Amino acid sequence: MGLWARYNAILEAQPLLTKMCTSLVGFSVGDILAQNFVNDDGAPYDPMRTLRLGSFGFLIHGSTGHFFYGFLDSKLPGTKPVTVATKVLIDQTMWNPIFGCMFFGYLNAVEGKSWNDYVTKLKSDLKTAVMGSWAVWVPAHTINFAFVPPSQRLLYINSIQIGYNVFLSFLGNKKADVDEYEKEL
């Protein structure tokens, strides 16, 4: 049995666990790439940072993605253009900000930071994360909802997510700039 056939067999037998594991890999690889090829601060590789992002992928992204996209597909079945556009709109206007809050909140919690640190991070970087995702996820989800079978959606997302996670890893681990946020107001 080939790798793809084995993956699909595991996905059919254990869909939630399989999607959680693919998210673990996607977030871990994205952070490893960010630390080794994007960050130019000269800091050594931080395996705990990769563990934090990988655990977010496993515990939060994989599980919530499984249920959110399953729910979305159950309420909006099919691939007609209006259905695809509606799914993309819901994903990017509702799920995207919720996901951003979960991402920054999870990192805040596992790093032992305060509620005020979390609020500061949201004020500083949530808008950037949401708007930055539009460039990637609007076209990616248009393809996803139009052509990718529902059982494969999270694998497709995680494949693209590796590159996007380089951006998220950078944004999630940069110091929140309150002064910059206050200048915008």
Side-chain angles (χ1 to χ4, degrees):
M1 180 184 293
L3 184 60
W4 182 247
R6 275 190 252 152
Y7 174 81
N8 281 305
I10 294 169
L11 179 63
E12 187 173 324
Q14 295 285 330
L16 178 60
L17 181 60
T18 304
K19 292 171 186 178
M20 291 168 70
C21 288
T22 60
S23 291
L24 165 76
V25 170
F27 274 82
S28 297
V29 170
D31 182 63
I32 291 166
L33 291 172
Q35 287 195 57
N36 288 296
F37 300 108
V38 176
N39 292 0
D40 57 1
D41 58 6
Y45 173 72
D46 179 0
M48 291 306 296
R49 176 176 144 173
T50 301
L51 180 64
R52 288 189 297 270
L53 273 103
S55 67
F56 172 83
F58 182 79
L59 296 170
I60 308 297
H61 183 263
S63 59
T64 62
H66 169 79
F67 291 111
F68 173 74
Y69 293 112
F71 174 79
L72 199 59
D73 286 329
S74 75
K75 298 302 177 192
L76 297 166
T79 58
K80 292 181 181 175
V82 70
T83 303
V84 170
T86 302
K87 287 179 179 181
V88 171
L89 183 69
I90 290 169
D91 181 80
Q92 289 303 295
T93 61
M94 298 171 77
W95 182 245
N96 183 354
I98 292 168
F99 175 83
C101 291
M102 289 189 303
F103 177 74
F104 292 129
Y106 181 85
L107 290 182
N108 191 77
V110 298
E111 292 170 1
K113 294 182 179 174
S114 72
W115 177 257
N116 287 339
D117 291 332
Y118 174 60
V119 171
T120 299
K121 186 67 171 173
L122 291 179
K123 288 177 181 178
S124 175
D125 293 332
L126 182 61
K127 181 179 173 184
T128 301
V130 168
M131 292 175 66
S133 80
W134 293 342
V136 173
W137 293 113
V138 169
H141 278 312
T142 300
I143 293 166
N144 185 20
F145 296 132
F147 302 110
V148 177
S151 65
Q152 302 292 335
R153 290 206 199 289
L154 216 55
L155 176 62
Y156 169 81
I157 290 167
N158 281 319
S159 299
I160 294 168
Q161 189 82 33
I162 289 172
Y164 184 69
N165 284 348
V166 172
F167 167 71
L168 271 184
S169 174
F170 170 77
L171 196 61
N173 288 284
K174 84 173 193 52
K175 187 174 178 335
D177 187 358
V178 173
D179 295 336
E180 192 63 37
Y181 169 74
E182 289 173 354
K183 286 179 194 173
E184 291 180 10
L185 295 178

